[in-house]
């Protein structure tokens, strides 16, 4: 699926497709840049891929096929949890995160969930803005959840109406 990005430069677009095993080494490299100490290793990615169909991962690619972002869900019963969402640092701020999050919500809705949940660091301004704008609301706070630094975790939820896709 090709999706025009709302604030992208003219002609710029990302293509969404399912995650494939050939992507995993590259994703492990991106994780190091994006999440540092909490980065998922290639082995973790293999185990996530093996968790399909309960796990559902999508990648966003540039027209030349380069991966510029990725995101994934865990779908269990009537709840979907956002496992991860990230945009390559050199591609951030161009709407890729918004496109990926919308795709996760679309996939969750198609699978009949009632709500999408996620957890975000209280100091992650970019992610919080992304989720706020998509309609997620804070439903609880886990005080001093992230260490070191005593940073709170916000649990956010989007209620999904049947037939929203
Ligand atoms: C969070 C993240 C995925 C957003 O991806 P992105 O492709 O840059 O996001 P978009 O360009 O679609 O922007 C989405 C919204 O976030 C806002 N945003 C993006 N970067 C921002 C920043 N540095 N500070 C504040 N807001 C920011 C945008 O303004 C936009 O809001 P708008 O609709 O009001 O314009 C990206 O910053 C990222 O990969 N961060 C590191 C990994 C991470 O923290 N993931 C989330 C874990 S919970």
């Amino acid at each position: 699926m090709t999706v025009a990005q709302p604030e992208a430069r003219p002609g710029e677009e990302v293509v969404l497709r399912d995650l494939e095993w050939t992507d995993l080494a590259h994703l492990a490299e991106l994780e190091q840049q994006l999440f540092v100490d909490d980065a998922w290793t290639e082995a973790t990615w293999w185990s996530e891929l093996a968790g399909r169909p309960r796990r559902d991962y999508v990648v966003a690619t540039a027209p030349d096929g380069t991966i510029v972002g990725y995101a994934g869900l865990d779908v269990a019963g009537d709840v979907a949890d956002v496992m991860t969402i990230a945009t390559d640092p050199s591609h951030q701020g161009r709407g890729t995160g918004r496109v990926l999050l919308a795709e996760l919500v679309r996939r969750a809705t198609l699978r009949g969930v009632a709500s999408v949940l996620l957890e975000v660091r209280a100091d992650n301004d970019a992610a919080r803005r992304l989720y706020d704008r998509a309609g997620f609301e804070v439903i609880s706070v886990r005080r001093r959840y992230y260490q070191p630094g005593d940073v709170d975790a916000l649990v956010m939820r989007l209620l999904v109406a049947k037939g929203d896709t």
Side-chain angles (χ1 to χ4, degrees):
M1 186 196 327
T2 303
V3 186
Q5 296 183 85
E7 291 172 8
R9 290 191 291 274
E12 209 170 359
E13 58 191 19
V14 292
V15 175
L16 299 179
R17 62 165 172 79
D18 287 341
L19 177 67
E20 294 165 8
W21 70 267
T22 45
D23 302 323
L24 301 187
H26 183 58
L27 258 51
E29 279 173 28
L30 279 177
E31 285 272 319
Q32 287 288 342
Q33 295 176 47
L34 287 157
F35 295 103
V36 192
D37 291 340
D38 297 322
W40 286 2
T41 62
E42 200 173 331
T44 304
W45 276 110
W46 274 105
S47 126
E48 288 298 304
L49 200 62
R52 293 177 299 181
R54 176 171 162 153
R55 297 284 212 270
D56 191 356
Y57 284 92
V58 58
V59 297
T61 63
D64 68 357
T66 313
I67 294 176
V68 295
Y70 55 93
L73 289 174
D74 175 70
V75 184
D78 66 352
V79 175
D81 287 282
V82 175
M83 299 296 295
T84 190
I85 182 164
T87 300
D88 183 316
S90 66
H91 209 83
Q92 288 178 6
R94 300 190 208 174
T96 305
R98 224 175 314 149
V99 168
L100 283 166
L101 186 60
E103 175 64 7
L104 292 188
V105 172
R106 189 186 75 83
R107 290 180 180 215
T109 307
L110 280 176
R111 292 178 65 168
V113 307
S115 55
V116 180
L117 292 177
L118 59 82
E119 219 171 69
V120 60
R121 287 176 61 107
D123 61 0
N124 190 342
D125 292 337
R128 286 185 62 178
R129 183 163 173 98
L130 173 66
Y131 303 142
D132 282 344
R133 300 271 288 186
F136 282 79
E137 290 179 341
V138 176
I139 55 166
S140 66
V141 180
R142 296 179 178 166
R143 300 277 170 215
R144 299 178 293 279
Y145 181 78
Y146 294 104
Q147 300 297 332
D150 281 349
V151 180
D152 294 347
L154 309 181
V155 180
M156 302 185 79
R157 181 180 65 188
L158 179 74
L159 295 175
V160 175
K162 303 256 183 256
D164 260 4
T165 51

